[in-house]
Amino acid sequence: MVRQAHHNIVTLSLSKGDVWKRLLPSNSVDLNPMAILKNIKDLNLQKIREAKLYRRFASLKTSIVLLGILVGFYILGTIFPQGGELEEYIEAGGRFASLVVFFNLLNIFTTPGFLITALLLFINLFICTIERLFVLLNQGIAKTEDLQFIPTHIFPLEINPHLEDALEGVREVFKKDLGFREQSSDPEMLDIGTDTKIIEKGWSYKWLTWIYHLSILFCFLGFFLTYLFSFEDEITLRPGEETIIKPAAISRWNRSWGRKPRELNFRLALQEFITEYNQLPALDYPGDKLSRLAVGMGWRDPKYLLKNESYFPKDWKSRLKVINLSPKSVIGEGNQAVLEKTIEVNDPLFYQGVTFYQAAYKQNLKIQVDDNPILLETETGKELIVPGIEGTFIFGTIRTGALFKRDGTIEKIRPFADVSFIKKDSAGKSEIEKLGKLEQDGSLVVDSRRISLKEFKEASILSYRYDPGVPILWWSGVFVLLAMSLRVFGAWYRIIYRIEERKGIPHLLLKIRIKGLMADEERLIHRLKYSLRKMTEPIDLDTPV
Amino acid sequence: MSNLEAILSRDAYLLSIEIRLFWLVALFYGICLILYIIHLITKKTGHGRIGTNILWLTAITHAGLILLRTFEGQRAPFQTLYESLSWFAWSASITYLYVERKWKDVYLAGILVSALSMGACFYALLTRSPAVEPLSPPLQSYWFEWHVILAFLSYAVFVVSCSIEISYLAVKPSVKKGLKLEYGLNMHNLETFHRQSFRLALFGFPLLTFGIFSGAAWANDAWGRYWGWDPKETWSLITWTVFAMYLHSMSIPKWKEMPASLLNILGFICMLMTFIGVNWLARLLGIPSLHLYAM
Ligand code: HEM
């Protein structure tokens, strides 16, 4: 009867409540895990753990179902453009407008349906993680298959007629030759007899599994923090300018409390804005499939042409200075510059919880028409109407800064923009004509009018973001990856063995369990046979029964 | 000839060799596919064996091709879709060849693998520019590099896993009926063969996890936001979730069989959606996707 109860402990600590009662030392006061578990029991948590709803949440099937529901939401999220406006959606040919409005399909990842499912999965994972911890602290063996000792390999140990010697020899082999360690868990609880040993090798896969599930739990916390507390905005700065930072956006949390955005307690100055380009010779390579086949057959050669080279963005950088306004500023004193950093795409500035990114840049230019002293102002990429000329101009990005050439040399670019001209024909269809390069202080002639580029100014566009979820997400992500990789790619072995006398000869009976892709049962058996043979020379015992 | 022109004509020469070799490799994947199909129809081992030998040859040549591209670009050759498709095709084939060594005369899974490798190569050749171009600023990141290498490697592994799963489902009924050898499989080795598909999915899962993690880390550096729910990101999350469902159902006795198999195949379909379906779906529905330009 007692043994029966022990069964429950190891197999179904996930489901049988009164298992714990037997496990706990009755009058212990120390702080070992068992005692803590007892306290938990006294708090009547045991009842909760037995409740039906709780059991449902402790079930792996529930996780699969919840993950499946999430997949449904994700798919909807890829069908409907997230964050889009309803008008845009309808304009782009989107149907089901009323459904979209009703289910808020353009912001599906903030709908209660999605958030609640995510929350349920979180609870599910939380409960599973706790339950699993109980099992692990208990003794690490929880599967029914471990309970009956049905040996998978039997080796006769003929040289050692004495059971004691054989036992000692085998122990040595496992420990010294094969690197196993003995398990502290009590074999008696396993109903497999006291003379049965449990040994292990490699990182405990159960703890690894537990660690990465726990880390996933922390990832969820990171997502929640982001969801509640993050906000982002943009600032545009010209070189030499300095600005206070007052976000227009506010976190969900603060918004729900009716708070207003607050100015950050530092200022930002842009000292310099730098653009760099790579020289990109055009590749003369056909687009249509047959001609491409011709290149493949060697009937035609691809060529790089310098004539049609373009300037391919290499980098854009902002040299920033942070000016701390707080009198308690540790690094600087009072109103002084405290930090300088040149940021670029992929290398942001992190300061007081806020991260500044090089998002984009903007160029304003002044155009002179003939000798008119009044200059026309415009921005690159925008249409400009010049009085007296029918049609509109578009000035492309002004290339300026350094040009990195294919041969390794660096050249200073004489600033220029590619200019296009859009004209409507009689049918009202617009036609784009490429007018060519317009260099600074150079000119182009259109309809016998002279267009010159007189001046341009650049401004760096920085986005910034406050997101307290990132650090926790980062670290838990690293733990997920580490633990998961060790579990999956590593090797873990557990051997349960016993030495029995059969017909006067000691026999080693064992059962092996392996986990991890590197674990190789055959190799282990091979090495074991080799070591046992060494121990039992000269008698040959080639094949295990 | 100026120094610059000399460099450019060398570049063009290397590129022409690379393109021809790439066509050849694609063609040979096609030949393997045909041989595997003949094997499927005739049930003769010989065709399968020749198919596998040719696949080895192709994969070795393809490895040379990837090295050549590395030399041309002087950087890791995984950054444009043209390059990553090539990497995907190669890693799928090599993974398949690696696991196939262990079985005697089981070639069924080669069909899907060679078909996809061939498809990926032709897709790259016919629709992408092979120019060795510099990377735009957002793509200049180690995160991005590892993101592509490992995500595509995981895709390749999932392809092989799914091919085995499908082969298993296809031959299981007739093998279970008797002890007869069907395509090199019988009662004794069928389950070991099937187990390989689980092991591969298990192998691919941490890689995909890293793919998503590094993608998020990269997006966080480049765009200031680790997750934006754009369709490509979302599909990779779908793939990941479906494989998590698959791995979980493998530890539920009742779900280990059919439900798990279906989830594995579903995971493969989601994976296809992630790296080609997205663009197609996005175009179909007129959704702007950040990733569209990156590829
Ligand atoms: C986002 C959610 C989750 C992910 C990504 C995830 C991931 C995984 C993966 C990859 C495995 C297979 C690795 C292995 O065979 O050891 C696994 C196994 C497992 N997971 Fe999860 N899991 C998640 C949530 C959950 C939840 C909510 C539960 C609780 C019910 C759970 C319980 C388990 C169990 C019991 C195993 C089997 C471990 C074993 O073989 O001993 N997981 N999980």
Side-chain angles (χ1 to χ4, degrees):
Chain A
M1 193 55 221
V2 174
R3 288 208 153 179
Q4 205 49 43
H6 286 322
H7 263 189
N8 288 341
I9 293 163
V10 284
T11 47
L12 302 169
S13 44
L14 290 180
S15 63
K16 272 279 186 292
D18 82 343
V19 164
W20 299 101
K21 206 189 285 173
R22 291 166 204 268
L23 253 181
L24 303 170
S26 52
N27 49 5
S28 107
V29 274
D30 60 352
L31 274 178
N32 71 35
M34 293 298 160
I36 294 170
L37 288 177
K38 176 177 160 47
N39 291 336
I40 292 174
K41 179 186 154 280
D42 289 345
L43 282 173
N44 243 346
L45 279 184
Q46 202 49 47
K47 283 239 170 65
I48 300 177
R49 292 183 66 228
E50 284 166 36
K52 215 168 176 187
L53 186 65
Y54 184 90
R55 302 265 41 105
R56 175 136 299 164
F57 272 107
S59 147
L60 195 52
K61 284 184 188 158
T62 309
S63 346
I64 299 180
V65 171
L66 288 172
L67 288 171
I69 297 175
L70 283 180
V71 165
F73 278 107
Y74 299 154
I75 291 179
L76 284 177
T78 66
I79 293 176
F80 299 94
Q82 293 306 298
E85 295 290 330
L86 187 67
E87 290 81 46
E88 284 172 34
Y89 172 71
I90 295 170
E91 233 165 70
R95 280 160 287 170
F96 321 114
S98 50
L99 278 182
V100 166
V101 175
F102 189 75
F103 291 109
N104 199 3
L105 291 174
L106 297 183
N107 287 296
I108 198 160
F109 301 113
T110 57
T111 55
F114 175 76
L115 294 172
I116 289 171
T117 316
L119 187 69
L120 290 181
L121 182 65
F122 177 81
I123 296 171
N124 179 210
L125 187 55
F126 182 75
I127 291 177
C128 287
T129 310
I130 291 184
E131 288 294 319
R132 195 83 177 157
L133 183 65
F134 284 152
V135 179
L136 283 166
L137 287 179
N138 208 350
Q139 35 139 335
I141 296 176
K143 289 212 172 146
T144 1
E145 60 188 80
D146 288 328
L147 293 175
Q148 291 119 12
F149 180 62
I150 303 168
T152 48
H153 301 266
I154 300 176
F155 304 89
L157 305 167
E158 304 196 8
I159 194 108
N160 276 310
H162 300 296
L163 215 55
E164 289 298 303
D165 296 347
L167 203 65
E168 199 44 45
V170 167
R171 255 185 80 170
E172 284 292 290
V173 163
F174 278 130
K175 211 167 149 185
K176 294 247 167 74
D177 293 8
L178 301 178
F180 275 82
R181 60 179 180 271
E182 297 201 350
Q183 267 277 69
S184 56
S185 57
D186 180 1
E188 199 180 356
M189 293 219 290
L190 285 176
D191 195 22
I192 49 180
T194 40
D195 51 349
T196 308
K197 295 265 179 293
I198 302 174
I199 53 176
E200 268 188 21
K201 180 175 163 167
W203 291 64
S204 158
Y205 90 94
K206 290 209 164 144
W207 276 108
L208 290 172
T209 305
W210 186 79
I211 289 171
Y212 72 70
H213 279 90
L214 181 73
S215 309
I216 293 174
L217 208 55
F218 277 96
C219 287
F220 270 86
L221 280 181
F223 299 141
F224 287 144
L225 284 184
T226 295
Y227 182 80
L228 287 179
F229 298 112
S230 70
F231 61 82
E232 62 189 6
D233 202 1
E234 237 178 48
I235 35 176
T236 305
L237 273 175
R238 288 184 194 290
E241 271 179 3
E242 188 182 310
T243 181
I244 54 157
I245 304 155
K246 182 156 189 200
I250 190 163
S251 69
R252 274 197 178 76
W253 177 259
N254 280 335
R255 202 186 316 142
S256 67
W257 291 100
R259 296 195 183 126
K260 294 261 157 344
R262 266 212 326 240
E263 210 172 272
L264 305 185
N265 68 344
F266 56 87
R267 283 206 299 255
L268 202 65
L270 177 64
Q271 295 173 295
E272 194 184 0
F273 179 69
I274 306 153
T275 50
E276 290 171 352
Y277 291 90
N278 275 313
Q279 178 184 37
L280 184 66
L283 177 66
D284 176 24
Y285 184 73
D288 74 290
K289 300 184 167 73
L290 269 180
S291 317
R292 285 191 167 195
L293 179 64
V295 176
M297 295 293 116
W299 298 328
R300 218 185 127 162
D301 280 326
K303 273 194 204 70
Y304 283 108
L305 302 175
L306 264 184
K307 203 171 62 191
N308 305 341
E309 70 178 356
S310 57
Y311 287 25
F312 190 85
K314 180 179 189 301
D315 217 337
W316 47 92
K317 306 179 187 175
S318 294
R319 196 147 64 80
L320 295 178
K321 187 158 89 175
V322 178
I323 298 124
N324 198 320
L325 302 178
S326 140
K328 281 184 286 178
S329 152
V330 196
I331 316 167
E333 275 173 36
N335 201 0
Q336 273 192 352
V338 288
L339 192 69
E340 282 193 31
K341 179 177 164 126
T342 304
I343 67 165
E344 55 188 286
V345 187
N346 275 314
D347 186 12
L349 162 73
F350 184 74
Y351 188 74
Q352 293 198 352
V354 184
T355 317
F356 292 87
Y357 302 89
Q358 180 70 62
Y361 57 92
K362 193 165 109 171
Q363 295 170 325
N364 290 72
L365 33 133
K366 288 191 177 158
I367 302 294
Q368 188 176 40
V369 182
D370 294 332
D371 292 322
N372 195 336
I374 300 170
L375 303 181
L376 300 176
E377 289 188 32
T378 184
E379 206 182 306
T380 51
K382 297 239 165 92
E383 294 190 11
L384 172 74
I385 297 173
V386 174
I389 301 182
E390 209 177 305
T392 51
F393 290 86
I394 291 188
F395 296 85
T397 306
I398 297 172
R399 307 297 184 185
T400 179
L403 177 68
F404 290 71
K405 298 181 77 168
R406 182 69 186 89
D407 58 5
T409 56
I410 303 172
E411 226 174 63
K412 191 170 175 332
I413 302 172
R414 220 176 129 180
F416 72 90
D418 287 320
V419 186
S420 328
F421 186 61
I422 305 178
K423 220 175 173 173
K424 287 216 165 91
D425 64 10
S426 47
K429 245 176 66 188
S430 27
E431 243 174 65
I432 301 180
E433 184 192 347
K434 291 214 161 116
L435 297 179
K437 262 181 170 184
L438 176 60
E439 287 193 344
Q440 188 166 29
D441 296 325
S443 57
L444 283 171
V445 177
V446 186
D447 280 2
S448 68
R449 310 283 296 270
R450 211 176 62 248
I451 308 284
S452 1
L453 172 57
K454 279 293 162 202
E455 215 180 281
F456 72 91
K457 271 196 193 139
E458 291 185 295
S460 178
I461 301 178
L462 310 175
S463 66
Y464 60 94
R465 181 172 172 89
Y466 172 76
D467 189 344
V470 169
I472 182 169
L473 204 57
W474 170 261
W475 285 109
S476 35
V478 168
F479 274 95
V480 170
L481 280 169
L482 276 179
M484 193 187 279
S485 304
L486 284 171
R487 148 70 185 97
V488 169
F489 302 126
W492 173 88
Y493 301 87
R494 179 164 63 214
I495 294 182
I496 304 182
Y497 74 90
R498 172 171 15 182
I499 305 223
E500 263 179 26
E501 210 164 77
R502 294 188 172 181
K503 295 182 192 151
I505 301 168
H507 280 68
L508 167 64
L509 287 70
L510 58 83
K511 178 175 149 182
I512 302 182
R513 228 179 125 208
I514 61 169
K515 280 277 172 177
L517 294 171
M518 296 279 278
D520 185 343
E521 185 167 344
E522 267 173 43
R523 221 184 80 223
L524 180 69
I525 291 293
H526 191 77
R527 284 183 60 195
L528 177 63
K529 261 161 67 179
Y530 177 78
S531 301
L532 287 179
R533 188 177 297 153
K534 249 190 3 197
M535 177 186 134
T536 60
E537 289 280 27
I539 298 163
D540 181 33
L541 31 87
D542 215 10
T543 29
V545 182
Chain B
M1 208 197 275
S2 76
N3 190 18
L4 186 58
E5 278 166 353
I7 290 173
L8 290 183
S9 78
R10 188 206 63 175
D11 284 353
Y13 176 68
L14 286 176
L15 187 66
S16 72
I17 294 185
E18 182 211 308
I19 292 173
R20 282 171 216 172
L21 210 57
F22 201 3
W23 275 93
L24 196 71
V25 164
L27 196 70
F28 270 79
Y29 281 128
I31 292 173
C32 298
L33 173 63
I34 293 169
L35 285 162
Y36 285 133
I37 291 177
I38 295 177
H39 164 70
L40 176 73
I41 298 167
T42 63
K43 299 196 176 182
K44 288 206 180 101
T45 355
H47 293 117
R49 197 173 303 147
I50 301 172
T52 292
N53 286 337
I54 295 182
L55 192 58
W56 270 111
L57 205 73
T58 313
I60 291 167
T61 317
H62 199 162
L65 180 70
I66 292 174
L67 286 178
L68 174 61
R69 181 82 184 178
T70 314
F71 176 73
E72 278 179 81
Q74 300 287 313
R75 59 167 168 79
F78 307 109
Q79 276 149 334
T80 59
L81 189 58
Y82 173 86
E83 289 165 352
S84 43
L85 281 168
S86 168
W87 164 244
F88 164 77
W90 181 79
S91 38
S93 303
I94 210 76
T95 309
Y96 167 71
L97 288 168
Y98 178 78
V99 293
E100 198 226 71
R101 279 173 326 140
K102 289 192 229 155
W103 314 306
K104 202 172 161 340
D105 297 335
V106 183
Y107 303 110
L108 273 184
I111 299 176
L112 187 62
V113 174
S114 53
L116 280 168
S117 294
M118 178 192 78
C121 291
F122 278 126
Y123 184 65
L125 278 166
L126 292 174
T127 68
R128 299 285 135 179
S129 163
V132 186
E133 289 185 353
L135 295 170
S136 69
L139 305 192
Q140 295 163 17
S141 152
Y142 285 116
W143 283 121
F144 172 63
E145 207 164 278
W146 284 104
H147 170 64
V148 178
I149 296 175
L150 292 177
F152 273 74
L153 183 60
S154 76
Y155 293 161
V157 173
F158 291 142
V159 165
V160 184
S161 170
C162 176
S163 316
I164 294 175
E165 194 75 61
I166 294 175
S167 313
Y168 166 78
L169 291 179
V171 297
K172 189 171 131 182
S174 62
V175 168
K176 289 259 152 119
K177 257 191 244 147
L179 271 176
K180 215 174 79 205
L181 209 61
E182 284 272 341
Y183 300 107
L185 292 167
N186 60 16
M187 297 276 262
H188 302 298
N189 61 4
L190 186 68
E191 291 308 321
T192 330
F193 175 73
H194 185 205
R195 184 142 186 87
Q196 193 66 49
S197 130
F198 169 69
R199 285 168 63 88
L200 283 165
L202 198 58
F203 181 90
F205 195 76
L207 298 182
L208 183 60
T209 309
F210 184 84
I212 292 176
F213 179 78
S214 54
W218 164 50
N220 195 49
D221 275 359
W223 286 285
R225 198 193 266 191
Y226 59 80
W227 195 262
W229 292 115
D230 89 71
K232 189 143 190 135
E233 273 172 354
T234 312
W235 272 107
S236 70
L237 183 66
I238 294 172
T239 309
W240 186 79
T241 312
V242 171
F243 275 107
M245 288 164 72
Y246 165 72
L247 292 177
H248 278 138
S249 53
M250 285 303 282
S251 56
I252 298 179
K254 272 199 195 143
W255 294 13
K256 232 178 175 144
E257 294 288 320
M258 211 29 152
S261 294
L262 291 181
L263 280 169
N264 189 353
I265 296 169
L266 191 67
F268 164 77
I269 294 170
C270 293
M271 174 224 105
L272 281 187
M273 287 298 290
T274 312
F275 84 100
I276 41 177
V278 176
N279 293 359
W280 162 79
L281 195 70
R283 228 177 299 129
L284 192 73
L285 302 162
I287 309 165
S289 164
L290 245 179
H291 275 84
L292 286 179
Y293 91 94
M295 295 301 178

